[in-house]
Amino acid sequence: MYKPIDLRKFAISQLEYVLGENPMRMSYVVGYGLKYPKYIHHRGSSIPVDAKTGCRDGFKWYDSAEPNPNVAYGALVGGPFLNETYDDFRNNSMQGEPTTYSNALLVGVLSGLVATSSVAWSF
């Protein structure tokens, strides 16, 4: 039987993995750490802020070899394949797209850890 402390330790281990304690030594949260996804599958990140573009013009930036000009700080991407690899290119939506369902889980876990931490009550 698992105790609350066991579940907390497991949740922390999973967060550590997502933040870079993994075989790739890569954070899957954009903008966190030294190594994180730079070519995420996200229109707002890949098109420059000052671009004048229509609906079909986005492929110019989608196909660009340059990293995204806008960093989507805090966005959690899909992550690695089962063989612990991550291909960082824009067309890789399976691994490189930040989705609401994965980011909601991250917010939920972080909120739960903060709410049950003795540190939170010291503020």
Side-chain angles (χ1 to χ4, degrees):
M1 179 157 174
Y2 294 105
K3 296 178 180 169
I5 190 67
D6 298 321
L7 298 175
R8 183 177 181 78
K9 286 179 182 176
F10 179 71
I12 290 170
S13 75
Q14 296 303 289
L15 285 172
E16 288 172 341
Y17 180 94
V18 165
L19 295 175
E21 291 294 322
N22 56 60
M24 295 282 298
R25 307 315 265 164
M26 175 180 201
S27 169
Y28 297 109
V29 175
V30 178
Y32 183 85
L34 298 175
K35 185 178 178 187
Y36 57 87
K38 306 263 191 312
Y39 297 83
I40 68 171
H41 185 83
H42 185 267
R43 186 179 301 243
S45 294
S46 60
I47 298 177
V49 156
D50 58 353
K52 304 288 187 238
T53 183
C55 290
R56 298 187 178 269
D57 299 332
F59 286 102
K60 172 179 164 183
W61 294 282
Y62 180 76
D63 295 330
S64 170
E66 297 297 316
N68 289 356
N70 308 306
V71 179
Y73 289 101
L76 174 65
V77 297
F81 286 132
L82 289 175
N83 65 357
E84 298 289 355
T85 62
Y86 181 86
D87 297 321
D88 194 14
F89 63 97
R90 261 179 227 98
N91 193 27
N92 184 7
S93 61
M94 183 182 293
Q95 289 185 287
E97 185 171 23
T99 60
T100 54
Y101 54 84
S102 60
N103 281 272
L105 291 172
L106 178 64
V107 170
V109 170
L110 290 171
S111 298
L113 288 172
V114 168
T116 60
S117 169
S118 60
V119 174
W121 301 109
S122 67
F123 286 107

